[in-house]
Amino acid sequence: MSAPIQPPPYRPDPATKALLERMEASNAPSYATFSPKEARAAMVKAGEVADMAPPEVASVFDRTVPTRSGHSKIRVYEPNADAANLGPRPCALFFHGGGFVIGDLDSHDNIARSIAVGADCMVVAVDYRLAPEHRYPAAVEDAVDVYSWLKVNAGEFNVDPDRLAVSGDSAGATLAAILTHVAKERGETIRAQALFYPLLDMAGGYPSHTEFRDMPPISEDVLAYFWRHYLGDDAEAIATKPDVTLSPIVADDFSGLAPAYIMTAGLDPLRDEGAAYAAKLSNAGVDTVYSCVTGTIHGCLRMGKFIPAAFDALDAASAFLKRRL
């Protein structure tokens, strides 16, 4: 009998170790100690320190689209200056992370640009409503409404509505995953999904949640902070009734969902739920690529000045989207 396969050692790689030491020396407060307004400002400041310069794209513009709440702002990226001569273009919807409480189009501009360039597709980034001003299911409603609007109005952007993908990081990956289930229920096709360190099971309880409960930037107290603001006074009642629009991993059937690229970070409390979701997709016959960047932390795609390794995974995800679109 062969020896059992051992998991890789989840230790910081040199770049991540140096960053963690820098973070500890700075003695920066946890997001959980801030008001939502303060946490949003802290995220902006962190990005200014750690994020790489954004790649160039041919054009970027903002506009609003109608939703059930009134409207949502979107940001449209076109990587190709000759796009008008290329016919209807493939497109990836992108949803930023931030625990449904922080983050915006600017905080994740670099990732959206990188997908546009790497996948050679249009990217439509969505500025969904945030909690606690707009609690669950506001973010889900905005994601569904912008997706629905784009399916009907894709021609306005020279987008092919039959070549849509969804993508996002952290809470944004939750929204992207939810959309694949919505599309399946409607009998619509999403060509691919790219989920970066996704939040997929509000119940938690995975070994990585315990192993890295104190790991920045989303220690367990920060996760609890986000859920509290997102769900409000209904948090406990909602938690007793698992729903795909909160925890995509509780879906009864994963067959027929969009081909998936799922990236996790080895030192992330969310690592194991991302791996479990990838396994459910793969076991249901969905073409699934799972990549764990073993030596780094949650949010690493916005820390490119210090953690270059994560961008290998972003490049691989973009290549996956390009093949599928």
Side-chain angles (χ1 to χ4, degrees):
M1 180 182 296
S2 61
I5 297 174
Q6 297 298 317
Y10 294 110
R11 296 190 295 266
D13 60 35
T16 301
K17 184 174 184 292
L19 177 59
L20 289 172
E21 290 171 350
R22 178 188 178 110
M23 293 167 73
E24 184 176 7
S26 72
N27 202 30
S30 162
Y31 283 127
T33 67
F34 293 140
S35 70
K37 183 178 180 180
E38 292 168 337
R40 291 164 193 162
M43 187 182 209
V44 171
K45 184 177 180 180
E48 291 172 348
V49 172
D51 212 351
M52 290 287 286
E56 292 294 328
V57 295
S59 66
V60 182
F61 65 89
D62 294 352
R63 65 159 292 174
T64 59
V65 300
T67 61
R68 74 191 77 180
S69 68
H71 66 272
S72 290
K73 188 166 77 170
I74 61 173
R75 180 167 295 169
V76 182
Y77 302 81
E78 170 55 76
N80 196 312
D82 196 36
N85 299 321
L86 297 176
R89 303 277 283 132
C91 178
L93 274 171
F94 176 77
F95 300 93
H96 68 79
F100 307 106
V101 175
I102 62 179
D104 57 24
L105 297 179
D106 292 332
S107 66
H108 288 66
D109 179 72
N110 195 332
I111 301 176
R113 286 171 176 263
S114 296
I115 292 171
V117 172
D120 190 24
C121 70
M122 302 280 285
V123 168
V124 173
V126 182
D127 194 27
Y128 56 88
R129 288 172 293 166
L130 297 177
E133 297 88 346
H134 305 283
R135 300 191 194 275
Y136 169 80
V140 177
E141 290 174 351
D142 289 351
V144 171
D145 290 353
V146 172
Y147 161 75
S148 301
W149 182 90
L150 186 60
K151 286 287 288 185
V152 174
N153 297 279
E156 289 191 24
F157 303 141
N158 196 33
V159 162
D160 182 348
D162 294 323
R163 290 197 289 165
L164 291 181
V166 292
S167 59
D169 75 306
S170 195
T174 314
L175 298 175
I178 290 166
L179 279 180
T180 66
H181 292 273
V182 170
K184 176 185 171 181
E185 290 174 1
R186 293 179 176 181
E188 298 172 349
T189 299
I190 289 180
R191 296 283 285 268
Q193 56 180 316
L195 313 181
F196 304 106
Y197 28 83
L199 179 65
L200 298 163
D201 189 349
M202 70 167 294
Y206 297 86
S208 58
H209 278 257
T210 300
E211 186 176 2
F212 300 110
R213 63 176 298 107
D214 297 320
M215 182 66 71
I218 58 158
S219 53
E220 286 293 291
D221 63 331
V222 173
L223 284 171
Y225 167 88
F226 286 147
W227 283 123
R228 184 170 68 252
H229 282 303
Y230 188 45
L231 300 178
D233 295 336
D234 298 327
E236 289 189 12
I238 291 172
T240 64
K241 301 176 182 179
D243 188 278
V244 172
T245 61
L246 269 174
S247 300
I249 203 165
V250 305
D252 293 327
D253 183 11
F254 285 76
S255 63
L257 293 176
Y261 184 97
I262 298 179
M263 170 203 163
T264 61
L267 313 180
D268 183 355
L270 304 184
R271 181 195 69 212
D272 291 349
E273 63 194 77
Y277 196 77
K280 282 181 174 284
L281 288 168
S282 182
N283 291 339
V286 176
D287 179 16
T288 304
V289 175
Y290 173 68
S291 172
C292 180
V293 186
T294 58
T296 197
I297 59 176
H298 189 90
C300 54
L301 295 183
R302 296 184 62 251
M303 304 173 186
K305 286 181 183 176
F306 302 104
I307 306 177
F311 284 90
D312 292 338
L314 182 56
D315 289 345
S318 297
F320 179 88
L321 291 176
K322 186 174 183 178
R323 289 194 304 272
R324 285 292 177 176
L325 289 171

